[in-house]
Structure formats: C-alpha cells, structure tokens
C-alpha cells in the first residue's frame, strides 16, 4: 500500500510504537482465555504496519519530534526516526515475536500466569521498538532501561524458583554496569556536540578528532545488553526463564539492542575505539564458543552460541563493517530463534534440559530434528544457508580491514574470527549427536513416550528453519554479493577473497567431524571446567568485585557501629554523666549556698527577734553582757 505523505507515515509510526503498550495495558485487565489471542492480534497488527512502513520508507529518514523538556533554555525533544534499517528491524522484531507468541500458546498452556506472561512480552516488544525508532540518545536510553526492566520480569518469571530469581537479579545488575557507562557516554556526547540527535551526530565527527573515551563509554551499553566480554555471564544464566522468552531475547530483542546501538553510534567511534571494539568482539567470540563446548544443558549451549555470534557482530562493527554486522543480526535472528524453539520442543518431549539424558530423538521427533539440523547448520556457516552468507560478509570485511592496518594484532583478528567457524560447528555437532543420535539415556522415561509437540509449536519451528535457507537472502546462495539486504540499506558487501569460502567450509567440515566423534572428558579436568564455569569469569568477579565489595561493606558497617555510632553513643553517655554532675553541683553547691544564706538570714532574724522582744529584763541582760564584753576587750 503506497503512502505518499510524511504525515501519514508519521501517524502510522506513532500508532505502531504505541500498540505494544496498549496491548500491555489491555492484558493487565483481560481474562486468561483471551490473553493469547489479544497478544497475537496486537503483534500481528504491528507486523502488518511494519511491513507497510518498510515498503514506503524513503532514502531520506523520517523524523518525528515533540518537545520533551526545557531545562534552562535548552530544549530536549522526544525524537523518533524511521529509516530503512529501522524499518527492517521493525519487521524482524514483530515477526519473531509473533512466532514466539504462537509457540507459547501450546508451550505454556497450563501456566496459571499466562496473562502476565503475554503482558510482559508486549512490554518487551514495545521497549525494543522504542530503541529501534529512537531519534536521539536520550530517547534510546529511556527505552534501553525499559528493555532491562522487561527482561528482568521475563527472566525471573518463575519467581518461585531461587535460580530464576537469582538469574534475573544477575542480568539486571550486570546490565546496570554497562548502562552506567552508556549514560556517561551520553553526557560526554552532549558536552562535545551539544546535541543528542542521530541526524546531527551522523556527521558531527566528520573531519574532526573524536574522543576515544566518548565512544568507549557508549560501547559499554552494548557490552551489557549484548553480553560482551567481560559482562557476558548473565546471558547463559538467563536461560532460567521460559524457553520462548529465550528465543525472543536471543533473536530479536534484548541482545540485538546492543548491536543496533553500535550501528547508530558508529560515526562517534574513533579509530582507537574501533580497535578496542574489534578486540572485545573477537575475545567474546572465542570465549563464548569455548564456553559452549562442554556444556550439558541444551539451552546453555545455545546461549553461549549467542554470546559467540554477538561477539562476531561486534568485531564486524569494530572493523567498520556495519552492514555485515546487521546482516548477520538478521540471519542470526531466524536460525537462533529456530534453535531455541526446537530445544523447547525437545525439553517438552523429554522433560529435562540435560543432554546427557537425551539421545536417539531423531526417531520420534523427526520434524524437530530436521528443523534443528537446518538451523544448527546455518549457525555453523554451512553453504546454501543464511549463516554462510552473513559470516562471509563479516569475515571478508575483517580481512579487508586488516589489510589496511599496520599493526600485526589487526591481522590476528580476522584469522581468529575465521577459526571460530570451526569452533561453532564443533560444539553444535557435539550437541546434535548428544540430543538426536545414539541411545536414549533418560532413566525416568522411555523413547516411546516422547513425541512431537502440537502444530502450534511445530509450525513456528518449521517456518524459522525454512527461513534459514540462503536463497531468501541472496539470489546466489553461495555468494553474499547478490543479497537484497545491502541494496536496502545502501551498502556494499566487502567480501572479495576467493579463498575465504573454501577455507571456511573446510574448517566447518573439520569441526563437524570432530564434534560428532567427540567424547565428553571428565568434568573435573581443567579444560572442561574452563568451559562449564564460563572461563572462571564468575569466580574472577567474586574475587575481584563481589568479595572486596562485601569486605568493604563489612568494614564500613564496623566503622559505622564502632566509630560513628560509638562516638555518638559515648558522647551521649558523657552528656548524661555531665548532666548528673551538673545536677549534683546544682543541688549540693549552688542550692547549698543559697539555702545556707537563707538559713543564716533566718537564724539572724530569729536572734534579732529574740532580742527585740519588748521585755525590760532582756534589755538589761543584753546591756550587762555587752558591758562585760567591752570591759573584757579593753583590759585583755
């Protein structure tokens, strides 16, 4: 449907942004019976509007502004921006969210808090739309924090489970670390450029020297939300939430927010900041991949896989390949959502997340098996699948960037990223074998008791598996150069190395062969513990941050009790003692003197009265006594 007026586009954009929040409020009062239908209706309507906007977006970004605050003459606006990248993200977020909600109807059909679950999902989607449509850093930060709140509510949805509650708090607190840096970066941006609008910031740093600290502070927001080293251990623990939430969180909402942020602020990243970004992304890619290698929880393998792939996208951003990173974000959303929903179908069938209690499930879950196989192969970068195309774009851009650098470290980054392709296939092949091949190892049930889930669950899985094929993203499924994505966002692919695809495929084949034949070593070996304990990062945080913080808190508590409270209490005791002393002095000395004078005055008065009593005898007696005393004084 063609739309010719900017006013109509602005109105549709405003309606689209408000829809999830209206759905959130409606679900707060709706009955449980209509909760799922209402949620899907709102998201489906949002998907339709997103498609309309995507078909009508122009090369010139559409900006919607309204005055938000006026502080000391400085105007801060609530600004929203619609461009081709935002339009594509709108379609992606709504599409994945709709599939997740359809899947949730069957997966959580016995959940008594279903209405709350769908309400939280609407809040989650609305917050992500706000980030996508934000026209300035201030508006983005507001929705950024709302995403943090929604993720906290969904990760801790099973609040009665201590592990879920702990995981929600861990995710919330670790993201606050990154968000604090992000906020400082926003302050620095306004200090240097006197604006926060993306339309101005896109060209603000052109021809000038960009402060490295500014870019790195803004990048900290991505480190938190997109689980980059070292702030990555919250993401695997977030698997305590419902499995459909994991699919949405890992595919199109929270973790995608950090990558989208980097795309928006990329013009503000100095060359030195970009090197740091590339280095952090590379470390995260390897760290996440190795951490996935020996995990036994089916969802944690996929979670660390997300960490690794996010590191790949961040490394692409650091090498200046924004379009390649966003392309991988797009393809990753489909096959990663498919993997998580397939994992949910497996868990639904065997009632455990431990892969050591699975095996042989390809016989009773054939649709899930083939869907999982397609999505896992796409993740690993197998030819003809979407992951192969997007990884080619990233790796080609990385080698192109390295050729332009003078440092030897720069040449190591694309090589490590290339080797990570084999690592990805290694842990995915191991998981594939443990779940679907061999003998069924669950002692509490038999293989005959496992079965495919309802079509409400199977349907989204199949759709996502089909969308993992490369033909949907490029006319030539073996080359990224024919992709429509780069035409939409007005960019070109930087992959021009003929040897890159064969080497990548060779590494994937080697990783698949080794992973399928790989036996699980003893859990107490250093290599396995390094994987199971996330590279000992949580122990490092415990040693360097948590324990010192607790010790400092205890020291301050003792200082407060002994020094501050002790001083106050001792001063209070001293005041009481001084009051008693003052009271004693007042009673014994002051009152004693006053009472003594009064007594003396009273006595002299009595004596005077006794003498002056009007009796002659008394007067003669006094006169005689007085005369005797005078004579005695005169002669002696």
């Amino acid at each position: 449907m063609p739309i010719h007026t900017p006013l109509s586009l602005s109105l549709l954009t405003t309606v689209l942004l408000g829809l999830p929040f209206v759905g959130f409020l409606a679900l707060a009062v709706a009955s449980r019976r209509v909760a799922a239908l209402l949620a899907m209706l709102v998201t489906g309507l949002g998907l339709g509007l997103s498609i309309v906007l995507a078909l009508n977006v122009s090369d010139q970004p559409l900006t919607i502004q309204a005055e938000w605050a006026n502080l000391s003459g400085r105007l801060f606006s609530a600004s929203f921006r619609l461009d081709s990248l935002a339009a594509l993200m709108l379609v992606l977020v709504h599409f994945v969210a709709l599939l997740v909600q359809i899947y949730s109807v069957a997966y959580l059909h016995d959940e008594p808090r279903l209405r709350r679950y769908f309400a939280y999902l609407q809040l989650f989607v609305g917050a992500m739309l706000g980030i996508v449509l934000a026209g300035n850093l201030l508006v983005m930060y507001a929705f950024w924090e709302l995403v943090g709140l929604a993720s906290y509510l969904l990760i801790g949805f099973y609040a009665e489970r201590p592990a879920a509650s702990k995981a929600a708090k861990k995710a919330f607190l670790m993201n606050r670390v990154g968000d604090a840096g992000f906020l400082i970066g926003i302050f620095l941006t306004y200090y240097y450029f006197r604006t926060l609008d993306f339309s101005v910031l896109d060209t603000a740093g052109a021809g000038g020297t960009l402060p490295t600290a500014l870019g790195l502070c803004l990048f900290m927001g991505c480190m938190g939300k997109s689980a980059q080293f070292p702030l990555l251990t919250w993401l695997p623990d977030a698997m305590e939430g419902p499995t459909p939430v994991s699919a949405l969180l890992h595919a199109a909402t929270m973790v995608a927010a950090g990558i989208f942020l980097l795309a928006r602020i990329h013009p503000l990243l100095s060359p030195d900041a970009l090197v740091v970004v590339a280095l952090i992304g590379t470390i995260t890619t390897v760290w996440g991949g190795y951490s996935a290698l020996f995990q036994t929880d089916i969802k944690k393998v996929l979670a660390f896989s997300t960490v690794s792939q996010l590191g790949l996208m961040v490394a692409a951003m650091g090498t200046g390949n924004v379009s390649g990173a966003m392309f991988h974000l797009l393809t990753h959303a489909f096959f990663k959502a498919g993997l998580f929903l397939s994992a949910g179908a497996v868990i639904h069938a065997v009632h455990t997340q431990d892969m050591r209690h699975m095996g042989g499930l390809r016989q009773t879950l054939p649709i899930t098996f083939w869907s999982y196989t397609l999505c896992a192969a796409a993740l690993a970068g197998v030819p003809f699948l979407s992951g192969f195309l997007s990884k080619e774009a990233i790796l080609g851009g990385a080698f192109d960037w390295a050729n332009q650098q003078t440092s030897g470290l720069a040449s190591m980054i694309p090589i490590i990223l290339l080797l990570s392709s084999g690592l990805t296939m290694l842990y995915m092949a191991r998981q594939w074998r443990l779940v679907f091949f061999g003998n069924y190892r669950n002692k509490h049930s038999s293989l005959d008791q496992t079965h495919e889930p309802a079509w409400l669950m199977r349907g989204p899985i199949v759709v996502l598996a089909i969308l993992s094929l490369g033909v949907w993203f490029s006319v030539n499924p073996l080359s990224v150069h024919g992709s429509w994505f780069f035409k939409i966002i007005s960019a070109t692919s930087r992959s021009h190395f003929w040897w890159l695809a064969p080497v990548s495929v060779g590494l994937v084949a080697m990783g698949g062969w080794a992973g399928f034949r790989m036996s699980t070593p003893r859990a107490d070996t250093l290599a396995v513990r390094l994987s199971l304990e996330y590279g000992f990062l949580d122990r490092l945080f415990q040693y360097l941050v948590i324990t010192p913080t607790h010790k400092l808190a205890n020291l301050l508590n003792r200082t407060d009790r002994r020094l501050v409270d002790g001083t106050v209490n001792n001063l209070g005791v001293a005041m009481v003692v001084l009051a008693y002393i003052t009271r004693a002095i007042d009673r014994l000395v002051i009152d004693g003197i006053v009472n003594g004078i009064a007594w003396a005055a009273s006595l002299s008065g009595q004596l005077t009265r006794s003498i002056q009593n009007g009796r002659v005898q008394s007067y003669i007696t006094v006169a005689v006594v007085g005369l005797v005393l005078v004579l005695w004084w005169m002669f002696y």
Side-chain angles (χ1 to χ4, degrees), residues 195-276:
T195 184
L196 296 173
D197 287 338
F198 292 128
S199 57
V200 180
L201 294 175
D202 285 344
T203 56
T209 301
L210 290 166
T212 299
L214 184 154
L216 292 180
C217 285
L218 292 174
F219 174 56
M220 282 190 67
C222 172
M223 289 175 64
K225 282 289 187 289
S226 293
Q228 296 300 288
F229 177 86
L231 304 178
L232 57 83
T233 60
W234 69 266
L235 192 56
D237 289 354
M239 297 303 96
E240 294 294 336
T243 300
V245 170
S246 301
L248 186 60
L249 187 149
H250 285 250
T253 51
M254 186 171 180
V255 297
I259 308 302
F260 187 80
L261 169 66
L262 280 184
R264 285 293 193 227
I265 66 166
H266 200 269
L268 300 179
L269 299 176
S270 69
D272 290 339
L274 286 172
V275 171
V276 174

Side-chain angles (χ1 to χ4, degrees), residues 380-418:
V382 172
F384 295 102
L385 301 176
S386 60
F388 172 80
L389 297 172
S390 54
K391 285 189 175 184
E392 180 189 357
I394 289 178
L395 294 174
F399 277 103
D400 187 33
W401 170 82
N403 288 340
Q404 302 171 24
Q405 306 300 311
T406 57
S407 171
L409 177 64
S411 61
M412 291 301 299
I413 287 177
I415 294 174
I416 294 172
L417 295 179
L418 179 60

Side-chain angles (χ1 to χ4, degrees), residues 220-415:
M220 282 190 67
C222 172
M223 289 175 64
K225 282 289 187 289
S226 293
Q228 296 300 288
F229 177 86
L231 304 178
L232 57 83
T233 60
W234 69 266
L235 192 56
D237 289 354
M239 297 303 96
E240 294 294 336
T243 300
V245 170
S246 301
L248 186 60
L249 187 149
H250 285 250
T253 51
M254 186 171 180
V255 297
I259 308 302
F260 187 80
L261 169 66
L262 280 184
R264 285 293 193 227
I265 66 166
H266 200 269
L268 300 179
L269 299 176
S270 69
D272 290 339
L274 286 172
V275 171
V276 174
V277 170
L279 192 59
I280 292 293
T282 304
I283 293 172
T284 305
T285 300
V286 178
W287 204 291
Y290 187 80
S291 296
L293 190 55
F294 294 111
Q295 296 293 330
T296 56
D297 187 310
I298 186 173
K299 289 173 65 176
K300 281 196 174 182
V301 173
L302 300 179
F304 275 117
S305 168
T306 300
V307 171
S308 182
Q309 298 305 304
L310 290 170
L312 190 62
M313 299 175 210
V314 169
M317 290 287 184
T319 58
N321 191 3
V322 178
S323 56
M326 293 306 297
F327 185 40
H328 193 54
L329 176 65
L330 173 66
T331 61
H332 177 267
F334 295 120
F335 56 70
K336 185 51 62 71
L339 283 169
F340 269 107
L341 296 186
S342 297
V346 171
I347 296 168
H348 185 269
V350 300
H351 306 290
T352 180
Q353 295 181 198
D354 194 333
M355 296 186 297
R356 293 170 297 183
H357 299 158
M358 300 178 188
L361 293 177
R362 73 185 188 282
Q363 303 172 26
T364 55
L365 305 176
I367 295 177
T368 301
F369 166 69
W370 285 111
S371 299
Y372 201 97
T373 301
L374 269 177
C375 293
L379 170 64
V382 172
F384 295 102
L385 301 176
S386 60
F388 172 80
L389 297 172
S390 54
K391 285 189 175 184
E392 180 189 357
I394 289 178
L395 294 174
F399 277 103
D400 187 33
W401 170 82
N403 288 340
Q404 302 171 24
Q405 306 300 311
T406 57
S407 171
L409 177 64
S411 61
M412 291 301 299
I413 287 177
I415 294 174

